[in-house]
C-alpha cells in the first residue's frame, strides 16, 4: 500500500507527522521534515518504546496511596534535522517556489519518501529523502538524501547532527497529553568520529541511559564535525554541477541501558555493521522481512482495493508500534506520538494481542512476557490499594507502576487484570505452550484471580459481588457490579483454576506453587466465586445492565447535544457525566463479544440496541466492537458502517487527535472486526469457532491464522467458507456450531 500526499498546509502537515512516522517496535521517528518547518503545534519526535523519565505528580489534595510519580516516554535528542543551503540560501519548502512536492509511505518496504523540486536560477533542484526504521536491525534509523541539479549548479551545504536540546510536547488544555514541557535529557559524553559522532545521555530521574551513533557516507566533498552543547553538528559540503547528484546516507543507531550494560559500545558495534552492510542490503532485508510479515498477516478483501489499502496501513502501523523484546510493549499511541505519554493500557491485550496471537505468536508471547516481568510491581500496586494478596496490574504504565493520577477512571479499572488474564488464557488455547504456562502464565493467572477474592465478596444473596470499580466505559465510574468486570473476573477465576488443576495432574505445578503458594483449597474458592458470580440483568428490557445503578440514571439525550461538545470529556465535568446513562465506549457490548457463552441471542440483541443509543464512541476503542457485535447479530450492513469508521479513524483523523499519535487499539480493532466480526472467529478451549457474516458489498475475504503449530487459510464467500491447511496436522474446527475435520481443504 502506498500512502501519498501532496499537501503542504499546516493541518495536513501536523497530521502527517503521525501518519508518515517510521517505527519498528523499538524506535519511532515522527514524519517531520528534515528542514524543521516552523509549525506552531508541531511535535518533532524521536522515541524509544518505553524509554521513560519519571515526573513527580503534584496534587493539591493528595490522599493515601495516590501515585507519587508518573512515567513519561521522552522525546530523545533530535537526529532528524538537516538544513539544506544552496549557494548560501536555505531551501525552504514553505517559502521557496516549488515545482513539485509529494511524499509517500510504502508498506511493502517500510520506506517513507519525500520529493521536493525547487525552481532555482532557471533550473531545478530536486531533493529526495528516504527514511526507514529497520525491522531487522531495530536500533537503526536510516535516512537517505539525494540532491540533483537540472540546468543549475552551485554550492550545497547540509547542516545535520544530533541535538540534545529537546523537550516533550505539552498542552495544558488536553488531558490526553502532558500538561507541562520539561526537558528530560541530561547530556553526557560526546565523541567525534571522522564520519559522525557519538552522543550519550541520561534521563533526569529514571536513571536510564542511551547512546546515539550517527555516521554519514556519500559522495560529498567534505564533512566538518563539531562538538556543541550536548551534541554535535555535521556540515557536509559539495560543489554540485548541473546534471550531477549528491547521494548521502545517514545511519543513526541508538542503544539503551534497558537492553545492554554499555549502550555506547553496543551502538558503535551495530553502526559499524550497518555502514559495512550498506543501504542497499539494509533496504533489501527490510523488504524481505515485510514480505514474510504480509504473507502471514495481511487479509485480502477481493474487489475492494481502497478498503484493503486502509487495512494494510492499519496493520503495518500496528507492526511498527509493537515491541518484540519483552522489555517494552505496545503503547496506546504506539511510537508515533506523545499522546497518553507513551503509556501501555488494556488496549494491548484486548484489542491488539489477538492479531499477533494468530499471525506472529512469538510477538504475542513477548507481550505476555512484558506483563510477567512487571508482576512484582503489580503485587506492590495491589498492596497500595489495600489488598493483602494478589496482583493488580496498573491502568496505565511504562515500566510497571501505576501512572494514572485520576483513580476513578484509572486504578479503579480493575478489569485490566481480567483482560490480561484473558490474553494469557487465549495464548494457552492458541499455542498449547504448556512450558510457558507452567513457568510464567500460571503465576499471572493465579495472582490476578486471587485479587478478585480480595475485591469482591460473597453477599447476603449468596452471590459474589464486586463493588466500587470502573468498567471500560469511562463515563461511568466507581460503581458496583460492572457487568463487564464481573464477566472478566469469572473467566479469570476459571482459567486460573483449570490451569492449576491441569498442572497438578501433569506434575508441572512446582513453579506456580513455589511462586504463589497456591493450594487446592484456594482453587476451590476460585471455582466457588466464579460459579456464584453475580451479573446485573434487567428482566423487563432483557438486557444486561452495565452495573447495579446504571439503568436508574437519567438518560443523556445525544440527539440534542451540540456537535461541538464531543468528545464529552472535554466539555462536561466528570460528575455530570457519571450521573447519566451515557457511554464513552462499548462496555456490556464488549463483554458479549469476549464472553458470549451462555448469553441468549435476545439479550445480546436487546443490549446492543439499548447501548448503541447512548454510546458516543468518544473513545476510539468502541466502534470496532460495535462492528463485531453487529456482525455477530446478523446486522451486516451496520457492521460494515462501523467497520468503515474503524478503518479510517487515523487516515481521516476522525477523532481529531491523530496528530498526537495513532490509535493503536483501533488499528488492532480493524483486524479484529474483520476476522472476529465478519468471519466470526472465536477461540475457545476446544478450538476455533467460526460464524460467518460477509457484508453484501464484498465478494470474499481471506486471511491466514496460526493455530497450535499449524497455518491455515480461511476464505469467506457469501455462500461458503473454504479452509485450507497450509501446514501442520489435521484438526477439527467449528462453523456455526458444527464440528468439521480439516485435513487439507474443506468447504462448508
Ligand atoms: C479509553 C480507554 C483507553 C485509553 C487509551 C481512553 O480514551 O477510554 O479505554 O484505554 O483511552 O487508549
Amino acid at each position: 500500500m502506498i500512502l501519498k500526499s501532496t499537501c503542504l498546509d499546516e493541518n495536513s502537515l501536523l497530521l502527517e507527522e503521525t501518519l508518515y512516522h517510521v517505527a519498528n517496535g523499538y524506535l519511532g521517528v515522527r514524519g517531520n521534515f528534515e528542514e524543521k518547518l516552523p509549525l506552531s503545534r508541531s511535535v518533532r519526535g524521536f522515541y524509544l518504546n518505553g524509554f521513560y523519565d519519571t515526573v513527580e505528580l503534584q496534587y493539591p489534595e493528595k490522599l493515601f496511596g495516590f501515585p507519587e510519580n508518573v512515567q513519561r516516554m521522552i522525546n530523545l535528542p533530535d537526529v532528524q534535522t538537516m538544513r539544506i543551503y544552496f549557494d548560501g540560501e536555505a531551501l525552504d519548502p514553505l517559502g521557496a517556489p516549488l515545482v513539485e512536492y509529494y511524499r509517500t509511505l510504502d508498506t511493502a518496504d517500510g520506506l517513507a519518501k519525500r520529493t521536493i523540486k525547487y525552481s532555482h536560477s532557471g533550473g531545478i533542484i530536486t531533493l529526495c529523502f528516504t527514511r526507514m526504521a529497520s525491522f531487522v536491525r531495530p536500533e537503526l534509523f536510516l535516512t537517505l538524501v539525494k540532491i540533483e541539479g537540472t540546468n543549475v549548479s552551485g554550492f550545497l551545504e547540509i547542516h545535520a547532527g544530533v541535538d540534545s536540546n529537546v523537550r516533550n510536547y505539552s498542552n495544558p488544555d488536553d488531558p490526553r497529553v502532558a500538561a507541562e514541557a520539561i526537558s528530560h535529557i541530561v547530556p553526557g559524553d560526546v565523541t567525534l568520529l571522522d564520519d559522525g559522532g557519538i552522543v550519550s545521555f541520561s534521563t533526569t530521574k529514571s536513571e536510564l541511559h542511551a547512546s546515539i551513533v550517527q555516521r554519514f557516507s556519500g559522495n560529498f566533498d567534505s564533512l566538518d564535525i563539531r562538538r556543541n552543547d550536548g551534541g554535535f553538528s555535521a556540515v557536509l559540503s559539495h560543489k554540485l554541477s548541473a546534471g550531477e547528484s549528491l547521494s548521502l546516507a545517514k545511519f543513526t543507531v541508538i542503544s539503551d541501558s534497558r537492553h545492554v550494560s554499555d549502550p555506547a559500545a553496543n551502538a558503535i558495534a551495530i553502526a559499524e555493521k550497518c555502514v559495512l552492510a550498506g543501504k542497499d542490503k539494509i533496504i533489501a532485508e527490510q523488504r524481505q522481512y515485510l514480505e514474510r510479515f504480509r504473507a502471514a498477516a495481511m487479509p485480502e478483501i477481493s474487489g475492494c482495493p481502497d478498503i484493503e489499502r486502509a487495512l494494510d496501513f492499519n496493520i503495518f502501523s500496528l507492526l511498527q508500534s509493537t515491541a518484540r523484546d519483552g522489555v517494552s510493549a505496545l503503547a496506546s499511541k504506539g511510537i508515533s506520538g506523545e499522546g497518553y505519554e507513551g503509556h501501555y493500557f488494556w488496549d494491548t491485550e484486548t484489542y491488539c494481542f489477538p492479531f499477533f496471537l494468530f499471525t506472529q505468536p512469538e510477538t504475542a508471547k513477548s507481550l505476555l512476557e512484558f506483563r510477567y516481568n512487571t508482576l512484582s510491581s503489580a503485587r506492590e500496586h495491589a498492596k497500595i490499594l489495600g489488598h493483602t494478596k494478589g496482583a493488580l496490574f496498573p491502568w496505565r504504565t511504562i515500566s510497571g507502576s501505576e501512572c494514572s493520577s485520576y483513580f476513578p477512571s484509572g486504578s479503579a479499572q480493575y478489569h485490566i487484570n481480567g483482560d490480561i488474564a484473558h490474553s494469557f488464557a487465549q495464548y494457552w488455547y492458541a499455542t498449547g505452550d504448556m512450558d510457558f504456562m507452567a513457568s510464567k502464565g500460571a503465576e499471572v493467572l493465579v495472582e490476578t484471580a486471587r485479587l478478585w477474592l480480595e475485591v469482591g465478596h460473597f453477599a447476603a444473596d449468596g452471590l459474589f459481588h464486586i463493588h466500587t470499580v470502573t468498567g471500560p466505559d469511562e463515563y461511568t465510574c466507581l460503581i458496583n457490579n460492572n457487568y463487564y468486570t464481573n464477566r472478566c473476573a469469572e473467566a479469570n477465576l476459571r482459567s486460573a483454576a483449570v490451569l492449576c488443576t491441569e498442572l497438578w495432574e501433569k506434575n508441572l505445578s512446582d513453579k506456580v506453587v513455589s511462586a504463589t503458594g497456591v493450594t487446592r483449597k484456594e482453587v476451590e474458592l476460585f471455582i466457588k466465586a466464579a460459579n456464584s458470580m453475580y451479573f446485573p440483568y434487567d428482566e423487563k428490557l432483557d438486557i444486561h445492565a452495565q452495573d447495579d445503578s446504571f439503568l436508574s440514571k437519567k438518560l443523556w439525550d445525544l440527539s440534542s447535544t451540540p456537535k461541538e461538545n464531543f468528545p464529552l470529556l472535554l466539555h462536561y465535568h466528570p460528575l455530570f457525566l457519571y450521573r447519566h446513562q451515557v457511554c464513552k465506549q462499548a462496555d456490556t457490548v464488549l463483554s458479549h463479544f469476549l464472553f458470549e457463552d451462555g448469553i441468549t441471542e435476545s439479550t445480546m440483541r436487546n443490549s446492543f440496541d439499548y447501548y448503541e443509543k447512548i454510546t458516543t464512541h468518544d473513545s476510539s476503542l468502541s466502534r470496532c466492537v460495535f462492528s463485531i457485535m453487529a456482525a455477530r447479530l446478523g446486522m451486516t450492513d451496520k457492521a460494515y458502517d462501523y467497520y468503515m469508521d474503524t478503518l479510517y479513524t487515523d487516515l481521516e483523523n476522525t477523532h481529531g487527535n491523530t496528530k498526537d499519535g495513532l490509535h493503536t487499539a483501533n488499528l488492532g480493532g480493524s483486524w479484529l472486526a474483520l476476522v472476529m466480526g465478519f468471519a466470526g472467529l472465536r477461540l475457545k478451549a476446544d478450538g476455533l469457532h467460526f460464524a460467518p457474516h460477509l457484508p453484501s458489498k464484498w465478494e470474499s475475504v481471506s486471511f491466514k491464522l496460526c493455530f497450535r503449530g499449524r497455518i491455515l487459510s480461511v476464505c469467506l464467500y457469501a455462500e461458503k467458507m473454504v479452509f485450507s491447511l497450509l501446514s501442520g496436522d489435521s484438526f477439527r474446527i467449528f462453523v456455526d456450531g458444527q464440528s468439521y475435520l480439516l485435513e487439507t481443504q474443506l468447504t462448508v
Side-chain angles (χ1 to χ4, degrees):
M1 182 261 187
I2 298 185
L3 193 64
K4 184 168 181 184
S5 167
T6 54
C7 302
L8 277 172
D9 64 281
E10 174 140 351
N11 281 337
S12 310
L13 287 168
L14 291 176
L15 171 65
E16 290 173 12
E17 289 182 359
T18 295
L19 297 182
Y20 287 78
H21 87 295
V22 291
N24 57 20
Y26 176 59
L27 64 81
V29 186
R30 282 178 56 87
N32 308 105
F33 277 31
E34 276 74 3
E35 298 89 328
K36 209 167 182 174
L37 302 179
L39 306 174
S40 65
R41 289 177 302 122
S42 172
V43 184
R44 195 168 188 79
F46 172 34
Y47 315 103
L48 287 185
N49 187 351
F51 189 84
Y52 69 95
D53 200 10
T54 309
V55 182
E56 205 181 314
L57 279 169
Q58 308 287 345
Y59 300 92
E61 292 178 64
K62 181 166 178 278
L63 298 185
F64 178 82
F66 281 19
E68 311 261 335
N69 300 300
V70 292
Q71 301 162 345
R72 174 179 299 162
M73 180 178 80
I74 63 171
N75 192 7
L76 303 174
D78 180 4
V79 295
Q80 303 188 57
T81 299
M82 293 172 116
R83 293 193 189 274
I84 299 172
Y85 298 86
F86 194 76
D87 282 341
E89 188 190 315
L91 293 182
D92 171 5
L94 297 185
L98 297 189
V99 179
E100 193 177 9
Y101 159 74
Y102 59 89
R103 75 193 306 184
T104 55
L105 173 72
D106 189 344
T107 58
D109 55 18
L111 300 180
K113 295 185 179 169
R114 185 161 65 84
T115 298
I116 282 195
K117 294 188 182 184
Y118 293 93
S119 87
H120 199 285
S121 320
I124 292 177
I125 308 170
T126 305
L127 269 66
C128 298
F129 297 87
T130 303
R131 296 165 152 220
M132 93 177 219
S134 169
F135 287 105
V136 179
R137 304 167 194 252
E139 297 85 358
L140 173 66
F141 166 54
L142 176 70
T143 312
L144 307 174
V145 187
K146 192 167 173 202
I147 305 179
E148 234 166 0
T150 312
N151 297 328
V152 65
S153 60
F155 184 67
L156 264 177
E157 245 187 34
I158 303 177
H159 293 211
V162 176
D163 179 4
S164 297
N165 194 7
V166 290
R167 280 170 191 270
N168 274 60
Y169 177 73
S170 65
N171 178 355
D173 296 326
D174 188 339
R176 298 164 300 182
V177 293
E180 70 310 308
I182 309 173
S183 173
H184 295 282
I185 305 278
V186 182
D189 292 346
V190 176
T191 309
L192 302 187
L193 306 170
D194 289 346
D195 59 354
I198 309 165
V199 175
S200 295
F201 61 92
S202 309
T203 53
T204 57
K205 298 216 174 70
S206 60
E207 298 183 351
L208 297 180
H209 314 282
S211 295
I212 297 171
V213 174
Q214 193 170 73
R215 293 176 59 181
F216 298 88
S217 68
N219 61 338
F220 42 82
D221 295 339
S222 67
L223 173 61
D224 180 28
I225 313 272
R226 290 191 188 190
R227 192 184 307 270
N228 59 26
D229 185 19
F232 71 91
S233 68
V235 179
L236 300 96
S237 315
H238 188 71
K239 173 90 195 55
L240 190 74
S241 328
E244 192 214 355
S245 65
L246 165 71
S247 293
L248 155 70
K250 180 171 81 169
F251 297 86
T252 304
V253 169
I254 182 162
S255 174
D256 78 273
S257 59
R258 296 167 310 156
H259 293 85
V260 292
S261 57
D262 188 346
N266 193 44
I268 292 168
I270 293 172
E272 178 66 15
K273 284 191 192 146
C274 293
V275 172
L276 283 177
K279 65 176 173 42
D280 294 338
K281 177 157 190 248
I282 289 171
I283 289 175
E285 285 168 0
Q286 177 91 335
R287 184 173 271 282
Q288 276 163 16
Y289 178 93
L290 286 169
E291 259 168 28
R292 278 198 301 274
F293 168 73
R294 296 166 66 78
M298 203 60 74
E300 285 171 17
I301 304 171
S302 84
C304 302
D306 286 346
I307 293 175
E308 265 189 345
R309 272 161 40 89
L311 181 63
D312 189 339
F313 173 83
N314 289 1
I315 287 179
F316 172 73
S317 302
L318 192 56
L319 176 73
Q320 292 205 103
S321 306
T322 309
R324 283 171 284 280
D325 57 8
V327 173
S328 38
L330 167 55
S332 63
K333 303 284 175 185
I335 333 172
S336 66
E338 295 174 26
Y340 288 125
E341 301 178 63
H343 291 160
Y344 312 135
F345 295 71
W346 71 308
D347 306 33
T348 312
E349 282 76 16
T350 304
Y351 290 80
C352 305
F353 177 83
F355 165 74
F356 291 106
L357 181 62
F358 285 112
T359 61
Q360 275 196 346
E362 280 310 305
T363 304
K365 184 174 175 178
S366 80
L367 292 172
L368 300 183
E369 301 264 4
F370 169 79
R371 291 296 188 182
Y372 176 78
N373 293 338
T374 59
L375 193 53
S376 56
S377 303
R379 288 189 178 107
E380 275 305 301
H381 185 218
K383 283 207 185 85
I384 294 170
L385 269 75
H387 305 300
T388 57
K389 284 205 271 186
L392 175 60
F393 282 98
W395 176 241
R396 49 193 286 181
T397 190
I398 292 184
S399 80
S401 61
E402 178 59 274
C403 291
S404 164
S405 56
Y406 183 63
F407 73 89
S409 53
S411 301
Q413 296 203 47
Y414 277 77
H415 66 84
I416 190 166
N417 256 22
D419 305 320
I420 291 173
H422 186 61
S423 65
F424 276 84
Q426 296 268 298
Y427 176 79
W428 178 27
Y429 299 158
T431 64
D433 183 351
M434 210 53 185
D435 284 350
F436 178 79
M437 294 313 288
S439 61
K440 297 180 176 170
E443 200 176 327
V444 171
L445 288 185
V446 167
E447 290 290 25
T448 47
R450 59 170 45 144
L451 193 84
W452 296 116
L453 300 180
E454 293 261 321
V455 196
H457 64 285
F458 289 94
D461 58 6
L463 298 178
F464 194 80
H465 289 233
I466 300 176
H467 284 184
T468 327
V469 297
T470 297
D473 166 31
E474 295 185 350
Y475 287 168
T476 309
C477 289
L478 302 180
I479 33 70
N480 294 345
N481 293 312
N482 168 250
Y483 176 81
Y484 177 90
T485 305
N486 289 17
R487 275 281 170 221
C488 272
E490 182 204 12
N492 188 171
L493 289 158
R494 274 196 212 293
S495 54
V498 174
L499 179 62
C500 286
T501 309
E502 197 166 326
L503 292 176
W504 274 314
E505 270 166 18
K506 294 187 168 154
N507 271 331
L508 291 171
S509 61
D510 288 0
K511 173 74 201 311
V512 67
V513 171
S514 69
T516 65
V518 65
T519 60
R520 288 179 195 266
K521 209 166 150 219
E522 189 178 12
V523 164
E524 275 166 26
L525 209 53
F526 290 172
I527 296 169
K528 184 172 172 215
N531 289 344
S532 324
M533 192 64 71
Y534 163 72
F535 296 110
Y537 170 71
D538 185 286
E539 244 171 69
K540 217 163 96 207
L541 297 169
D542 181 22
I543 67 171
H544 283 121
Q546 191 168 301
D547 58 68
D548 280 354
S549 59
F550 189 80
L551 298 178
S552 64
K553 292 180 181 172
K554 191 172 164 195
L555 275 165
W556 186 293
D557 181 6
L558 285 179
S559 61
S560 63
T561 308
K563 257 195 157 137
E564 59 279 11
N565 284 5
F566 293 92
L568 302 181
L569 71 117
L570 296 184
H571 299 92
Y572 298 89
H573 193 282
L575 282 175
F576 189 74
L577 294 169
Y578 300 168
R579 282 194 202 105
H580 285 85
Q581 288 192 54
V582 61
C583 302
K584 183 179 179 189
Q585 61 205 97
D587 190 302
T588 309
V589 175
L590 174 61
S591 75
H592 287 165
F593 156 45
L594 294 176
F595 308 108
E596 66 177 13
D597 287 344
I599 317 294
T600 66
E601 292 294 310
S602 73
T603 305
M604 276 191 205
R605 173 79 197 216
N606 293 333
S607 301
F608 182 98
D609 292 344
Y610 189 89
Y611 292 106
E612 188 185 30
K613 290 193 192 78
I614 49 171
T615 301
T616 60
H617 308 291
D618 282 349
S619 161
S620 66
L621 280 67
S622 195
R623 285 195 166 86
C624 62
V625 177
F626 275 81
S627 175
I628 293 170
M629 282 309 292
R632 164 76 180 75
L633 294 164
M635 299 178 273
T636 30
D637 288 346
K638 190 177 273 244
Y640 179 88
D641 291 344
Y642 277 121
Y643 189 60
M644 288 302 112
D645 293 341
T646 301
L647 269 186
Y648 290 99
T649 298
D650 283 316
L651 283 170
E652 291 184 356
N653 191 21
T654 56
H655 280 247
N657 64 350
T658 293
K659 166 192 159 294
D660 297 326
L662 295 166
H663 297 82
T664 56
N666 179 76
L667 301 176
S670 62
W671 183 88
L672 276 186
L674 194 75
V675 173
M676 311 229 163
F678 298 124
L681 171 67
R682 297 290 182 276
L683 171 63
K684 302 193 181 176
D686 58 359
L688 301 178
H689 292 243
F690 296 86
H693 290 281
L694 188 73
S696 55
K697 294 195 169 96
W698 293 351
E699 272 167 39
S700 69
V701 169
S702 55
F703 53 86
K704 291 199 186 107
L705 298 173
C706 299
F707 179 69
R708 295 193 170 230
R710 307 172 178 89
I711 299 179
L712 62 149
S713 96
V714 180
C715 296
L716 175 63
Y717 302 89
E719 74 291 359
K720 62 180 178 191
M721 279 189 94
V722 180
F723 299 88
S724 310
L725 190 56
L726 306 179
S727 71
D729 300 337
S730 58
F731 73 119
R732 299 201 79 81
I733 55 166
F734 300 84
V735 181
D736 287 331
Q738 283 265 8
S739 163
Y740 299 87
L741 182 66
L742 173 58
E743 283 177 308
T744 45
Q745 208 176 52
L746 169 75
T747 301
V748 179

